[in-house]
Amino acid sequence: MNHTPSASSWWSPAVHADRRPFLIGRNRIQARLRDYFAARDFIEVDTATLQFSPGNEAHLHAFRTEAIGNDGETAALYLHTSPEFACKKLLAAGEPRISCFAHVYRNRERGPLHHPEFIMLEWYRAGEGYERLMTDCAEILALAAETTGTKTFTFRDRTVDPFAEPERIAVAEAFERFAGIDLLASVSTDGSTDRDRLAEELRRADIRMADDDSWADLFSRVLVEKIEPQLGNGRATILDEYPVSEAALARPSARDGRVAERFELYACGVELANAFGELTNAAEQRRRFEIEMTEKQRIYGESYPIDEDFLAALATMPEASGIALGFDRLVMLATGARRIDEVMWAPVAEVMR
């Protein structure tokens, strides 16, 4: 399908003039973030975009390409959906603190908050707990606001004070508070889930569902319809302790084996970051990847290969915490942009309407 430029193409001088303040803000925030990490002894790394496996989460969709060898033989490669596997290999290699501004690629995603290519800022702390990442997040929100001279983040009808300490709430507490649902009643101590028990909770709360919804589908329905609209109002929210089945790359909590060391950061109802206390058990990671790929095959009719090199590195990786932050979304909130493509110097053309 050919792409026909419109009068409002991003390179039009009038359109660019409107976008330019957002783009200058983007550059300033990125420079300040580089200084922030360098001052804390992080090494900035650059990872390859082409990977054998793009990641193994059921609902992430990759762009596939083909490598042609010198002998003419071909093999599938993918544009990565995150630099996570490569970064963890660098932790296994001995790097204690790393940061990475990575171009990442996700198919089936386009809208005001989604773009097929965007920047993921990831950073990892070997030997440090994931609660330290919560402090990083609070400091980075304030840094972005200071850089652009804004006192309030605004998106649609939501506002957030970026200098206020984020609220921290467990997923189970959010389900109880905002939906009247006892989430952990459907999760066993080994992390397994009871679909019928959770469906009963949804019926009591008068939340619609489909007969073939899995436990994960039911969880997502409540999260999207009842929980997320309540997050990041007035101040940022850290949504913490996801059920183990919803945290494929995170280690179980030492406090409660039903939940994992995973949190997400929200501001103005926008999901900004996803963080883990990293799982380092290679056998358990393989099991979780296989479950995710079985689910992907069931829903979408495709799956991705498992990166055996990653699992080998995981077996020697130190205890660590890591986080992925949507850099473009942060810039949106800090500059007041309305769409993610307004803060990108050269957005991807829309080839499908």
Side-chain angles (χ1 to χ4, degrees), residues 88-94 279-282 309-319:
K88 289 182 179 178
K89 290 173 185 177
L90 288 169
L91 292 178
L279 180 66
T280 55
N281 182 322
D309 195 43
F310 168 67
L311 292 178
L314 201 65
T316 61
M317 187 183 119
E319 295 292 315

Side-chain angles (χ1 to χ4, degrees), residues 131-246:
E131 290 87 357
R132 183 64 183 85
L133 302 175
M134 300 179 189
T135 302
D136 292 340
C137 285
E139 292 174 350
I140 284 171
L141 291 177
L143 179 149
E146 288 171 0
T147 303
T148 57
T150 185
K151 292 182 171 57
T152 305
F153 288 172
T154 302
F155 184 71
R156 295 175 178 159
D157 60 345
R158 313 276 178 79
T159 60
V160 154
D161 177 354
F163 301 99
E165 182 180 354
E167 170 193 29
R168 181 177 175 182
I169 180 172
V171 172
E173 181 185 347
F175 268 63
E176 181 63 45
R177 182 190 303 180
F178 301 125
I181 288 174
D182 183 353
L183 177 65
L184 295 184
S186 64
V187 182
S188 298
T189 53
D190 63 358
S192 61
T193 56
D194 184 336
R195 186 266 178 201
D196 292 340
R197 181 66 181 270
L198 185 56
E200 181 183 333
E201 292 281 335
L202 265 70
R203 276 191 289 272
R204 281 198 311 102
D206 198 27
I207 298 174
R208 62 182 178 83
M209 69 187 98
D211 291 340
D212 60 349
D213 276 348
S214 65
W215 188 96
D217 295 329
L218 298 176
F219 174 87
S220 295
R221 281 184 185 274
V222 180
L223 186 67
V224 171
E225 294 178 18
K226 300 293 185 180
I227 310 302
E228 288 185 329
Q230 308 298 325
L231 305 179
N233 287 314
R235 58 176 172 156
T237 301
I238 289 171
L239 187 65
D240 190 19
E241 295 189 342
Y242 276 70
V244 167
S245 62
E246 296 299 310

